[in-house]
Amino acid sequence: MRKAIDRADADDRKSAIPAGPIESAPWSALSGETEYRAALAEAFEGVELGEYDRRIIEWLAGWDSPTVATLASLVIRARKAGGVL
């Protein structure tokens, strides 16, 4: 189960991905590779992916919680800033 931190998406689901600028490593944002994969899936939702894209996302899911949470947060915030979400 994903832990709510500070953002709810359009469907009112709670997300563990920080919604704004991150000032220090978000160690408690995500817990384990299942949540890491879910965070990355949320970040890249609706993006057409190739096989190599999927391989890289799977590789990224093996990193630590702050890295994955920060990357997912950056992607989501960049998409919102560009009007993509």
Side-chain angles (χ1 to χ4, degrees):
M1 176 179 247
R2 296 178 69 186
K3 296 174 276 190
I5 289 191
D6 64 359
R7 121 170 157 65
D9 66 19
D11 297 330
D12 291 331
R13 295 175 307 187
K14 292 295 181 182
S15 173
I17 303 167
I22 300 169
E23 301 298 335
S24 62
W27 282 104
S28 63
L30 303 169
S31 178
E33 286 190 32
T34 299
E35 287 191 5
Y36 300 173
R37 284 185 187 92
L40 292 168
E42 181 179 340
F44 292 104
E45 184 175 352
V47 176
E48 184 177 354
L49 300 173
E51 181 57 32
Y52 190 72
D53 296 323
R54 286 188 281 283
R55 284 177 50 199
I56 294 301
I57 290 169
E58 183 62 25
W59 172 72
L60 289 168
W63 285 68
D64 57 66
S65 178
T67 301
V68 175
T70 301
L71 176 63
S73 176
L74 284 166
V75 170
I76 289 169
R77 288 184 284 139
R79 292 178 69 190
K80 280 189 170 193
V84 178
L85 289 177

